Amino acid sequence: MWNSFFGRAFRDLRSSSQLLVLLGISNGGLLAYSDSQADVNALVSESAPQDAQKKKVVVLGTGWAGTSFLKDLDISSYDIRVVSPRNYFAFTPLLPSVTCGTVESRSIVEPIRNIIKKKNGVVQFYEAECVKIDAANRRVLCRSNNGPLIGKEDFMLDYDYLVIAIGAEVNTFNTSGVMEYCHFLKEVEDAQRIRRSVIDCFERAVLPDITEQERRSILHFVIVGGGPTGVEFAAELHDFIQEDLVRLYPTVQDLVKITVIQSGEHILNTYDGRISSFAEQKFQRDGIEVKTGCRVVGVSEKEINMKLKSTGEIFSIPYGMVLWSTGIATRPVIRDFMEQIGQSKRLTLATDEWLRVEGCHNAYALGDCATINQRKIMEDILDIFRVADIDNSGTLTVTEFQDVIQDILVRYPQVDLYLKSQHLQNMEDLLKDPQGNERKEVDIEEFKIALAQVDSQMKSLPATAQVAAQQGTYLATCFNHMEQCQTNPEGPRRFRKSGRHRFQPFRYKHFGQFAPLGGEQAAAELPGDWISIGHSTQWLWYSVYASKQVSWRTRVLVVSDWTRRFIFGRDSSRI
Amino acid sequence: MWNSFFGRAFRDLRSSSQLLVLLGISNGGLLAYSDSQADVNALVSESAPQDAQKKKVVVLGTGWAGTSFLKDLDISSYDIRVVSPRNYFAFTPLLPSVTCGTVESRSIVEPIRNIIKKKNGVVQFYEAECVKIDAANRRVLCRSNNGPLIGKEDFMLDYDYLVIAIGAEVNTFNTSGVMEYCHFLKEVEDAQRIRRSVIDCFERAVLPDITEQERRSILHFVIVGGGPTGVEFAAELHDFIQEDLVRLYPTVQDLVKITVIQSGEHILNTYDGRISSFAEQKFQRDGIEVKTGCRVVGVSEKEINMKLKSTGEIFSIPYGMVLWSTGIATRPVIRDFMEQIGQSKRLTLATDEWLRVEGCHNAYALGDCATINQRKIMEDILDIFRVADIDNSGTLTVTEFQDVIQDILVRYPQVDLYLKSQHLQNMEDLLKDPQGNERKEVDIEEFKIALAQVDSQMKSLPATAQVAAQQGTYLATCFNHMEQCQTNPEGPRRFRKSGRHRFQPFRYKHFGQFAPLGGEQAAAELPGDWISIGHSTQWLWYSVYASKQVSWRTRVLVVSDWTRRFIFGRDSSRI
């Protein structure tokens, strides 16, 4: 095949591809991996894992959580099977860029088999969807949907450990017409569909025999939900239209309108207020209308019906395209699983701080499909007091308290947040009396009062890529140390039982968040409550997103897509 | 929007994009155009064409024929409307590369609005399909299919001149199951579907609970038709599997099989025999099975039924994916048009040598949707003799004959081919007597005998991009000289009537053809009956295909796709 000189030369180049890539971008990605040919050759000669000694791990999902788990997992002691309807990992933070062709869809995906290939074993991947988790029998039912396989679409996988990372689905809040007429932005295919739909609107608007009013309706792009996804899409769309489409459709350029509908009082309301108001002002200058305090009550083929929250007034606006980006909901397979394990009354699947599913042994859940049910300190207050009170005196001295402080801080992260919120330096300060004087010792009632407000600082984690990726890495570390920590537990002291927890509980570290606002401007919340807004922030965004890419291949492609967009603009072909 | 320094700098760069592109590829494309910002700004300030004085030209189709016609047309004296279901031009010779991700689909398309924008007027483009040509009333009925436009999908366009360039559709020869189960390769979307389908086959083949026999069936890729498209796809697929997929699906690498089914005795039978047998030998070495002399009689969900032509034996083979690439057929809208204009007994729409539709005034057809009905010299032999016999003597002298030779050669291109086939230098040699002696003069019967064999050399043109593009350019030149040639005709003498033809008839110039065979090898027929086969021909192929790109944007993208493939391989994500 590769007999020629050129062939061989390029083949060699390919195996040392990193050397070729001369772009000066740091390889700081959470998931960055080395694409060396050596791994592959090792893999080719090995057969599927059959070792009966190894624990069977089934991983559901190849999003941020599942992929970062697999990436960091030492597979030598496990028999791993991965099930996902997508045979690739997608860099979802760039999905809004894909909707307008700023970045191509193929530049943000990497085959999962490339990511999970390992030197010391084989990870088996099945492109299928898990349709049922059978918790009692420790197995999952999976279904392949990609072609005729009569009678063989379904298969069962047994597991010793189950890692659930299948993400969430779109939340329509049961609004009528949303499923039929709205676009979503969760998958790569969604972004591709949106891109075609935007072009379609322009092509429809320039057809003959249409009134100007109809052209205006067709060119009305509506975004429901003023969160980061909706806002970034609005900004991308505005740039796409102003920088590229108006050149090609000059007759309708004055008829285009973009509207963002937000039920709250401000867009980007999970961000710092300065970012939120900067975004609103920028959108106003750009002519993007922001309708706040409005709730969508229904979508029909050509109109969106809304309710003004303040007055209760119901009105409707015609549209050409709607993006629905209002939040996430639990998938049916998870709901069914929750019924089985006694979580039917909860809204989302609950895990403990070690990401173990509550009520189901040996199942773990991470990413958007689960929430951590953080233990309240007040639920354990008696046990904490009992364990800390070594001499069983019925009172806690400062020295006794100091002995358990570290374990409390690790086990109950809300304590740390509470201390910060109260501007307290040390946890010992909690034991001071109401007048602020130090006390030698406290009894159980005084101890309860001292910690009474701590649980008010509990926060659930946002459904972001950052959280999911950190959870995946965390869980991989736990799995890698499973045996070792069985004998040498490294977690905090158990207050309700004896001994120590095997592992440290999961702790999320927030590295900040971006909000690209179009026109080469972005806003960012950085660690330490820093705010950065403007053109330089956009360049920071480019650097961070390039560095976080999952492989050198996608990194090169994304950067070249950005470059191509600067030089040639975005493509408006309807494919 | 573009307030920042960086923004402005890049904006400036964009308008002089050619300067940036440092790749040393000659801009020799048939359709190459300059993407300068100046044109665009001119266009933006103008409104739709409304000039009642101008003749209305409706162009159907934006493939090779339609696009090259529009590209070269001087629109200052016409009111042009273009109708096509695709708002882009696709560089179709690279479609086989798109099926396996060697080149991305977006790299081979260019928005038609970019190509047809002009300095001296506006070309109106409608993304719609022509569903009926109303020849009697000189109008076309068009239908837009891209979204809800209730009651406004259909619209009429009047024309003074109609240019039909809508190509052809797939020819299934009414074989059962082909439409349901086979892939085709005519559109960009087809190529994208094939790419997903190939990945699907591999993902299905590695699912659990499947027998080895089933895996073999799923990984059996069948190509029906051993023409250039089928052969190039087989070669691309073989490379994709061997260079990329076996690394990721090592457990099934020995189960893959590619089969090419050809009804004739050889694949590539329109090429020189040396190319054909080289291709067969290379495929044999690569393990691609070539089944010649087989006709497919039916396709079911899992099997292809075939008939061995030599014995009449019917047998079937299981498959995972089939590509059907056996030829082209006339589209229904053209069939309907042919009924209207008295061509109902013909298989394809016939035009004369000036691309005018026979039986329909002011309609032109070019590209795959029509064939040129070349006039036989024997049909006009009496008129030719009459015109040439100036002195009405009833005999033709050599001098008299010489006077019309040029007109005959232009009007009847088969004469030239006949002279070459007989190794004759001059047309006068035709007048020699059967013994090869020169004659002073011939009578009508002798003249008929002299030219009797000429028409056997008539050849219909192949349905290729090269023919379509040359026809488009030719027709644009005719349109540009329409008024001028009305008074000063530039064509050959009319034999049946008096005077001269307005234009020279269309004459195809064959620049050769390529057949990429995989493994960085290609075969080429070059002008002058040269044959070139091997690795260097593949590099020639790269150069020619890069230079023929329709814009600098696609040229850069295609070349960077090739480079990316050399470095990182092809992507196997199922999107």
Side-chain angles (χ1 to χ4, degrees), chain A residues 1-2 14 87 104 106 113 146 152 195 203-204 214 238 243 249 566-567 571 574-575, chain B residues 1-2 14 87 104 106 113 146 148 152 195 203-204 214 238 243 519 566-567 571 574-575:
Chain A
M1 198 70 32
W2 282 86
R14 216 165 118 181
N87 75 353
E104 289 301 329
R106 222 160 261 283
R113 291 166 201 276
N146 65 1
K152 305 259 179 165
R195 182 171 183 178
E203 289 294 352
R204 279 157 58 197
E214 285 170 320
H238 176 263
E243 294 168 12
Y249 305 85
F566 274 122
I567 300 172
D571 180 34
R574 193 197 174 276
I575 58 166
Chain B
M1 199 70 33
W2 282 86
R14 217 165 115 178
N87 76 352
E104 288 303 328
R106 222 160 260 285
R113 291 167 200 277
N146 65 2
K152 304 258 179 169
R195 183 171 182 177
E203 290 293 353
R204 279 157 60 198
E214 284 170 322
H238 176 263
E243 293 168 12
F566 275 122
I567 300 172
D571 181 33
R574 193 196 174 277
I575 56 166

Short mmCIF file of all heavy atoms in Angstrom, two decimals, chain A residues 1-2 14 87 104 106 113 146 152 195 203-204 214 238 243 249 566-567 571 574-575, chain B residues 1-2 14 87 104 106 113 146 148 152 195 203-204 214 238 243 519 566-567 571 574-575:
data_model
loop_
_atom_site.label_atom_id
_atom_site.label_comp_id
_atom_site.label_asym_id
_atom_site.label_seq_id
_atom_site.Cartn_x
_atom_site.Cartn_y
_atom_site.Cartn_z
N MET A 1 0.84 -1.19 0.00
CA MET A 1 0.00 0.00 0.00
C MET A 1 0.88 1.25 0.00
O MET A 1 0.83 2.08 -0.87
CB MET A 1 -0.83 -0.03 1.27
CG MET A 1 -2.01 0.88 1.20
SD MET A 1 -3.19 0.20 0.04
CE MET A 1 -2.86 -1.55 0.31
N TRP A 2 1.72 1.32 1.02
CA TRP A 2 2.52 2.53 1.21
C TRP A 2 3.94 2.29 0.72
O TRP A 2 4.90 2.48 1.45
CB TRP A 2 2.54 2.84 2.70
CG TRP A 2 1.28 3.47 3.16
CD1 TRP A 2 0.15 2.84 3.56
CD2 TRP A 2 1.01 4.87 3.27
NE1 TRP A 2 -0.80 3.75 3.90
CE2 TRP A 2 -0.31 5.00 3.73
CE3 TRP A 2 1.75 6.02 2.99
CZ2 TRP A 2 -0.90 6.24 3.94
CZ3 TRP A 2 1.16 7.24 3.22
CH2 TRP A 2 -0.15 7.33 3.68
N ARG A 14 3.41 10.65 10.55
CA ARG A 14 2.17 10.50 11.27
C ARG A 14 2.38 9.96 12.67
O ARG A 14 1.71 10.36 13.61
CB ARG A 14 1.28 9.54 10.49
CG ARG A 14 -0.14 9.91 10.58
CD ARG A 14 -0.87 9.17 9.52
NE ARG A 14 -1.85 8.31 10.14
CZ ARG A 14 -2.64 7.52 9.44
NH1 ARG A 14 -2.56 7.47 8.14
NH2 ARG A 14 -3.51 6.78 10.04
N ASN A 87 -19.89 6.99 19.26
CA ASN A 87 -18.56 6.39 19.31
C ASN A 87 -17.45 7.45 19.34
O ASN A 87 -16.34 7.22 18.94
CB ASN A 87 -18.36 5.39 18.16
CG ASN A 87 -18.13 6.04 16.81
OD1 ASN A 87 -18.25 7.26 16.68
ND2 ASN A 87 -17.81 5.25 15.81
N GLU A 104 -15.93 23.61 12.65
CA GLU A 104 -16.64 22.50 12.01
C GLU A 104 -16.93 21.40 13.03
O GLU A 104 -16.16 21.21 13.97
CB GLU A 104 -15.79 21.92 10.87
CG GLU A 104 -15.69 22.83 9.67
CD GLU A 104 -17.05 23.16 9.07
OE1 GLU A 104 -17.97 22.33 9.14
OE2 GLU A 104 -17.20 24.28 8.54
N ARG A 106 -16.65 18.24 12.88
CA ARG A 106 -15.67 17.19 12.99
C ARG A 106 -14.42 17.63 13.76
O ARG A 106 -13.63 16.79 14.21
CB ARG A 106 -15.27 16.70 11.60
CG ARG A 106 -15.15 15.23 11.52
CD ARG A 106 -15.24 14.76 10.11
NE ARG A 106 -16.55 14.27 9.79
CZ ARG A 106 -17.00 13.08 10.17
NH1 ARG A 106 -16.25 12.28 10.88
NH2 ARG A 106 -18.20 12.69 9.83
N ARG A 113 -12.50 5.39 20.71
CA ARG A 113 -11.50 4.31 20.69
C ARG A 113 -10.08 4.85 20.68
O ARG A 113 -9.16 4.21 21.17
CB ARG A 113 -11.70 3.43 19.46
CG ARG A 113 -12.96 2.60 19.52
CD ARG A 113 -13.28 2.01 18.16
NE ARG A 113 -14.68 1.65 18.09
CZ ARG A 113 -15.17 0.52 18.55
NH1 ARG A 113 -14.39 -0.37 19.08
NH2 ARG A 113 -16.47 0.27 18.48
N ASN A 146 -28.05 1.11 15.00
CA ASN A 146 -27.45 1.58 13.76
C ASN A 146 -27.52 0.59 12.61
O ASN A 146 -26.51 0.20 12.04
CB ASN A 146 -26.01 2.04 13.99
CG ASN A 146 -25.13 0.89 14.41
OD1 ASN A 146 -25.59 -0.24 14.51
ND2 ASN A 146 -23.87 1.17 14.62
N LYS A 152 -30.92 -9.05 16.97
CA LYS A 152 -29.65 -8.95 17.67
C LYS A 152 -29.39 -7.54 18.17
O LYS A 152 -28.27 -7.20 18.54
CB LYS A 152 -28.50 -9.34 16.73
CG LYS A 152 -28.65 -10.69 16.09
CD LYS A 152 -27.79 -11.71 16.78
CE LYS A 152 -27.97 -13.07 16.14
NZ LYS A 152 -26.93 -14.01 16.52
N ARG A 195 -27.47 24.75 12.07
CA ARG A 195 -26.75 25.43 11.00
C ARG A 195 -27.54 25.39 9.69
O ARG A 195 -27.72 26.40 9.02
CB ARG A 195 -25.39 24.77 10.81
CG ARG A 195 -24.54 25.43 9.77
CD ARG A 195 -23.14 24.87 9.79
NE ARG A 195 -22.30 25.55 8.83
CZ ARG A 195 -21.02 25.30 8.66
NH1 ARG A 195 -20.43 24.41 9.41
NH2 ARG A 195 -20.32 25.95 7.77
N GLU A 203 -32.72 31.28 2.89
CA GLU A 203 -33.13 30.88 1.54
C GLU A 203 -34.65 31.04 1.36
O GLU A 203 -35.11 31.44 0.29
CB GLU A 203 -32.71 29.43 1.25
CG GLU A 203 -31.21 29.22 1.06
CD GLU A 203 -30.66 29.92 -0.18
OE1 GLU A 203 -31.44 30.45 -0.99
OE2 GLU A 203 -29.42 29.96 -0.34
N ARG A 204 -35.41 30.70 2.41
CA ARG A 204 -36.86 30.86 2.31
C ARG A 204 -37.23 32.33 2.20
O ARG A 204 -38.14 32.70 1.46
CB ARG A 204 -37.54 30.26 3.55
CG ARG A 204 -37.72 28.77 3.49
CD ARG A 204 -37.86 28.17 4.87
NE ARG A 204 -38.97 28.71 5.63
CZ ARG A 204 -39.12 28.60 6.94
NH1 ARG A 204 -38.20 27.98 7.65
NH2 ARG A 204 -40.15 29.10 7.54
N GLU A 214 -43.98 38.37 6.02
CA GLU A 214 -43.59 36.95 6.09
C GLU A 214 -42.07 36.78 6.13
O GLU A 214 -41.54 35.96 6.86
CB GLU A 214 -44.19 36.19 4.90
CG GLU A 214 -45.68 35.94 5.06
CD GLU A 214 -46.34 35.39 3.80
OE1 GLU A 214 -45.99 35.85 2.69
OE2 GLU A 214 -47.22 34.53 3.93
N HIS A 238 -25.57 36.24 15.67
CA HIS A 238 -25.47 37.64 15.27
C HIS A 238 -24.22 37.89 14.43
O HIS A 238 -24.27 38.54 13.38
CB HIS A 238 -25.48 38.51 16.52
CG HIS A 238 -25.30 39.96 16.22
ND1 HIS A 238 -24.07 40.58 16.29
CD2 HIS A 238 -26.18 40.89 15.80
CE1 HIS A 238 -24.22 41.85 15.94
NE2 HIS A 238 -25.48 42.06 15.64
N GLU A 243 -21.53 39.23 9.68
CA GLU A 243 -20.23 39.14 9.02
C GLU A 243 -20.28 38.37 7.71
O GLU A 243 -19.45 38.57 6.84
CB GLU A 243 -19.20 38.48 9.96
CG GLU A 243 -18.89 39.34 11.18
CD GLU A 243 -18.10 38.58 12.24
OE1 GLU A 243 -17.60 37.48 11.94
OE2 GLU A 243 -18.00 39.09 13.36
N TYR A 249 -27.07 37.75 1.19
CA TYR A 249 -28.52 37.97 1.10
C TYR A 249 -28.80 39.45 1.38
O TYR A 249 -29.48 39.78 2.35
CB TYR A 249 -29.26 37.09 2.12
CG TYR A 249 -28.95 35.61 2.00
CD1 TYR A 249 -27.84 35.06 2.63
CD2 TYR A 249 -29.76 34.78 1.23
CE1 TYR A 249 -27.55 33.70 2.51
CE2 TYR A 249 -29.47 33.42 1.11
CZ TYR A 249 -28.37 32.90 1.75
OH TYR A 249 -28.08 31.56 1.63
N PHE A 566 -11.37 33.60 10.08
CA PHE A 566 -10.85 34.96 9.97
C PHE A 566 -10.56 35.32 8.52
O PHE A 566 -10.79 36.43 8.07
CB PHE A 566 -9.56 35.12 10.79
CG PHE A 566 -9.81 35.45 12.23
CD1 PHE A 566 -9.33 34.64 13.24
CD2 PHE A 566 -10.53 36.60 12.58
CE1 PHE A 566 -9.57 34.94 14.56
CE2 PHE A 566 -10.76 36.90 13.91
CZ PHE A 566 -10.29 36.08 14.91
N ILE A 567 -10.03 34.34 7.77
CA ILE A 567 -9.60 34.64 6.40
C ILE A 567 -10.77 34.60 5.42
O ILE A 567 -11.01 35.53 4.67
CB ILE A 567 -8.51 33.64 5.95
CG1 ILE A 567 -7.30 33.75 6.88
CG2 ILE A 567 -8.08 33.94 4.51
CD1 ILE A 567 -6.25 32.69 6.64
N ASP A 571 -18.88 29.34 6.02
CA ASP A 571 -19.51 28.80 4.82
C ASP A 571 -21.03 28.78 4.99
O ASP A 571 -21.53 28.46 6.05
CB ASP A 571 -19.00 27.38 4.59
CG ASP A 571 -19.61 26.75 3.36
OD1 ASP A 571 -19.87 27.50 2.38
OD2 ASP A 571 -19.83 25.54 3.36
N ARG A 574 -25.73 24.83 2.25
CA ARG A 574 -26.70 24.08 3.06
C ARG A 574 -26.38 22.59 3.04
O ARG A 574 -27.07 21.81 2.43
CB ARG A 574 -28.10 24.33 2.51
CG ARG A 574 -29.18 23.84 3.45
CD ARG A 574 -30.50 23.70 2.77
NE ARG A 574 -31.45 23.12 3.68
CZ ARG A 574 -31.58 21.82 3.88
NH1 ARG A 574 -30.85 20.99 3.21
NH2 ARG A 574 -32.46 21.35 4.74
N ILE A 575 -25.32 22.18 3.73
CA ILE A 575 -25.06 20.73 3.86
C ILE A 575 -24.87 20.42 5.32
O ILE A 575 -24.65 21.27 6.12
CB ILE A 575 -23.84 20.25 3.06
CG1 ILE A 575 -22.58 21.02 3.50
CG2 ILE A 575 -24.06 20.39 1.59
CD1 ILE A 575 -21.31 20.37 3.02
N MET B 1 -18.98 46.05 16.02
CA MET B 1 -18.70 44.62 16.13
C MET B 1 -17.19 44.37 16.09
O MET B 1 -16.59 43.77 16.95
CB MET B 1 -19.34 43.94 14.93
CG MET B 1 -19.54 42.48 15.10
SD MET B 1 -20.80 42.25 16.31
CE MET B 1 -21.79 43.69 15.97
N TRP B 2 -16.58 44.92 15.04
CA TRP B 2 -15.17 44.65 14.81
C TRP B 2 -14.34 45.82 15.26
O TRP B 2 -13.58 46.39 14.50
CB TRP B 2 -14.96 44.38 13.32
CG TRP B 2 -15.38 43.03 12.92
CD1 TRP B 2 -16.62 42.63 12.57
CD2 TRP B 2 -14.57 41.87 12.84
NE1 TRP B 2 -16.63 41.31 12.28
CE2 TRP B 2 -15.39 40.82 12.43
CE3 TRP B 2 -13.21 41.62 13.09
CZ2 TRP B 2 -14.90 39.54 12.26
CZ3 TRP B 2 -12.75 40.35 12.89
CH2 TRP B 2 -13.59 39.31 12.50
N ARG B 14 -8.89 39.49 5.28
CA ARG B 14 -9.87 38.67 4.60
C ARG B 14 -10.13 39.14 3.19
O ARG B 14 -10.34 38.34 2.29
CB ARG B 14 -11.16 38.72 5.40
CG ARG B 14 -11.86 37.43 5.40
CD ARG B 14 -12.88 37.44 6.48
NE ARG B 14 -14.19 37.37 5.90
CZ ARG B 14 -15.29 37.33 6.62
NH1 ARG B 14 -15.23 37.39 7.92
NH2 ARG B 14 -16.44 37.24 6.05
N ASN B 87 -27.92 25.26 -2.66
CA ASN B 87 -27.41 26.63 -2.75
C ASN B 87 -25.89 26.68 -2.82
O ASN B 87 -25.27 27.66 -2.42
CB ASN B 87 -27.95 27.49 -1.60
CG ASN B 87 -27.28 27.21 -0.28
OD1 ASN B 87 -26.50 26.27 -0.16
ND2 ASN B 87 -27.58 28.03 0.72
N GLU B 104 -13.10 16.56 3.68
CA GLU B 104 -14.37 16.85 4.35
C GLU B 104 -15.38 17.39 3.35
O GLU B 104 -15.01 18.08 2.39
CB GLU B 104 -14.15 17.87 5.47
CG GLU B 104 -13.41 17.32 6.67
CD GLU B 104 -14.10 16.12 7.30
OE1 GLU B 104 -15.35 16.06 7.26
OE2 GLU B 104 -13.40 15.24 7.79
N ARG B 106 -17.43 19.79 3.51
CA ARG B 106 -17.50 21.23 3.39
C ARG B 106 -16.33 21.80 2.57
O ARG B 106 -16.39 22.95 2.11
CB ARG B 106 -17.53 21.87 4.77
CG ARG B 106 -18.50 22.99 4.88
CD ARG B 106 -18.85 23.28 6.29
NE ARG B 106 -20.13 22.71 6.65
CZ ARG B 106 -21.29 23.21 6.27
NH1 ARG B 106 -21.35 24.28 5.52
NH2 ARG B 106 -22.41 22.65 6.63
N ARG B 113 -23.92 31.65 -4.31
CA ARG B 113 -24.00 33.11 -4.31
C ARG B 113 -22.62 33.74 -4.36
O ARG B 113 -22.45 34.85 -4.87
CB ARG B 113 -24.73 33.60 -3.06
CG ARG B 113 -26.21 33.26 -3.07
CD ARG B 113 -26.83 33.48 -1.71
NE ARG B 113 -28.07 32.75 -1.59
CZ ARG B 113 -29.24 33.18 -2.03
NH1 ARG B 113 -29.33 34.35 -2.59
NH2 ARG B 113 -30.32 32.44 -1.90
N ASN B 146 -37.66 23.58 1.85
CA ASN B 146 -36.88 23.70 3.08
C ASN B 146 -37.62 24.35 4.23
O ASN B 146 -37.20 25.35 4.78
CB ASN B 146 -35.56 24.42 2.81
CG ASN B 146 -35.79 25.85 2.37
OD1 ASN B 146 -36.93 26.28 2.31
ND2 ASN B 146 -34.74 26.56 2.12
N PRO B 148 -41.48 25.01 6.70
CA PRO B 148 -42.90 25.34 6.58
C PRO B 148 -43.11 26.71 5.93
O PRO B 148 -42.61 27.71 6.39
CB PRO B 148 -43.38 25.35 8.04
CG PRO B 148 -42.17 25.62 8.84
CD PRO B 148 -40.99 25.14 8.07
N LYS B 152 -46.96 28.61 0.10
CA LYS B 152 -46.03 29.46 -0.65
C LYS B 152 -44.85 28.65 -1.17
O LYS B 152 -43.84 29.19 -1.58
CB LYS B 152 -45.48 30.56 0.27
CG LYS B 152 -46.54 31.40 0.93
CD LYS B 152 -46.67 32.75 0.24
CE LYS B 152 -47.76 33.57 0.91
NZ LYS B 152 -47.76 34.95 0.47
N ARG B 195 -20.34 7.53 4.55
CA ARG B 195 -19.31 7.57 5.59
C ARG B 195 -19.86 7.04 6.91
O ARG B 195 -19.24 6.22 7.58
CB ARG B 195 -18.84 9.02 5.75
CG ARG B 195 -17.73 9.17 6.76
CD ARG B 195 -17.15 10.56 6.71
NE ARG B 195 -16.05 10.69 7.64
CZ ARG B 195 -15.32 11.79 7.77
NH1 ARG B 195 -15.56 12.83 7.02
NH2 ARG B 195 -14.34 11.84 8.63
N GLU B 203 -19.11 -0.69 13.78
CA GLU B 203 -19.65 -0.70 15.15
C GLU B 203 -20.59 -1.88 15.36
O GLU B 203 -20.59 -2.49 16.43
CB GLU B 203 -20.39 0.62 15.44
CG GLU B 203 -19.47 1.84 15.58
CD GLU B 203 -18.56 1.76 16.81
OE1 GLU B 203 -18.71 0.84 17.62
OE2 GLU B 203 -17.66 2.62 16.91
N ARG B 204 -21.37 -2.21 14.32
CA ARG B 204 -22.27 -3.37 14.46
C ARG B 204 -21.47 -4.66 14.56
O ARG B 204 -21.83 -5.56 15.32
CB ARG B 204 -23.20 -3.45 13.24
CG ARG B 204 -24.40 -2.53 13.32
CD ARG B 204 -24.95 -2.24 11.93
NE ARG B 204 -25.36 -3.43 11.24
CZ ARG B 204 -25.54 -3.50 9.91
NH1 ARG B 204 -25.32 -2.42 9.15
NH2 ARG B 204 -25.94 -4.59 9.35
N GLU B 214 -21.95 -13.74 10.88
CA GLU B 214 -22.69 -12.48 10.81
C GLU B 214 -21.74 -11.29 10.74
O GLU B 214 -21.98 -10.34 9.99
CB GLU B 214 -23.62 -12.36 12.02
CG GLU B 214 -24.86 -13.25 11.89
CD GLU B 214 -25.66 -13.34 13.18
OE1 GLU B 214 -25.06 -13.39 14.27
OE2 GLU B 214 -26.90 -13.36 13.09
N HIS B 238 -10.87 0.81 0.80
CA HIS B 238 -9.79 -0.10 1.17
C HIS B 238 -8.72 0.64 1.97
O HIS B 238 -8.27 0.15 3.01
CB HIS B 238 -9.20 -0.73 -0.10
CG HIS B 238 -8.02 -1.59 0.18
ND1 HIS B 238 -6.72 -1.15 0.07
CD2 HIS B 238 -7.94 -2.87 0.61
CE1 HIS B 238 -5.90 -2.12 0.40
NE2 HIS B 238 -6.60 -3.17 0.73
N GLU B 243 -5.76 1.68 6.61
CA GLU B 243 -4.89 2.68 7.24
C GLU B 243 -5.46 3.19 8.55
O GLU B 243 -4.72 3.68 9.41
CB GLU B 243 -4.67 3.86 6.29
CG GLU B 243 -3.86 3.47 5.06
CD GLU B 243 -3.88 4.56 3.99
OE1 GLU B 243 -4.32 5.68 4.28
OE2 GLU B 243 -3.47 4.26 2.86
N GLY B 519 -3.86 3.51 -2.13
CA GLY B 519 -2.46 3.31 -1.80
C GLY B 519 -1.55 4.31 -2.46
O GLY B 519 -0.43 4.00 -2.84
N PHE B 566 -2.72 12.86 5.98
CA PHE B 566 -1.38 12.28 6.07
C PHE B 566 -0.88 12.27 7.51
O PHE B 566 -0.24 11.34 7.95
CB PHE B 566 -0.38 13.08 5.21
CG PHE B 566 -0.36 12.66 3.77
CD1 PHE B 566 -0.64 13.55 2.75
CD2 PHE B 566 -0.06 11.35 3.43
CE1 PHE B 566 -0.61 13.16 1.42
CE2 PHE B 566 -0.03 10.95 2.11
CZ PHE B 566 -0.31 11.85 1.10
N ILE B 567 -1.18 13.34 8.25
CA ILE B 567 -0.63 13.45 9.60
C ILE B 567 -1.46 12.66 10.61
O ILE B 567 -0.95 11.85 11.36
CB ILE B 567 -0.56 14.94 10.03
CG1 ILE B 567 0.33 15.71 9.05
CG2 ILE B 567 -0.02 15.06 11.44
CD1 ILE B 567 0.32 17.20 9.27
N ASP B 571 -10.90 10.51 10.31
CA ASP B 571 -11.69 10.46 11.53
C ASP B 571 -12.75 9.37 11.41
O ASP B 571 -13.39 9.23 10.37
CB ASP B 571 -12.35 11.81 11.76
CG ASP B 571 -13.18 11.82 13.02
OD1 ASP B 571 -12.79 11.13 13.97
OD2 ASP B 571 -14.20 12.53 13.05
N ARG B 574 -18.82 8.81 14.29
CA ARG B 574 -20.03 8.61 13.52
C ARG B 574 -20.88 9.88 13.55
O ARG B 574 -21.90 9.94 14.21
CB ARG B 574 -20.83 7.45 14.12
CG ARG B 574 -21.94 6.99 13.23
CD ARG B 574 -22.94 6.14 13.96
NE ARG B 574 -24.05 5.84 13.10
CZ ARG B 574 -25.07 6.67 12.91
NH1 ARG B 574 -25.12 7.81 13.54
NH2 ARG B 574 -26.05 6.36 12.08
N ILE B 575 -20.45 10.92 12.85
CA ILE B 575 -21.28 12.11 12.72
C ILE B 575 -21.41 12.44 11.25
O ILE B 575 -20.65 11.98 10.45
CB ILE B 575 -20.75 13.35 13.47
CG1 ILE B 575 -19.34 13.70 13.02
CG2 ILE B 575 -20.80 13.11 14.95
CD1 ILE B 575 -18.91 15.07 13.47
#
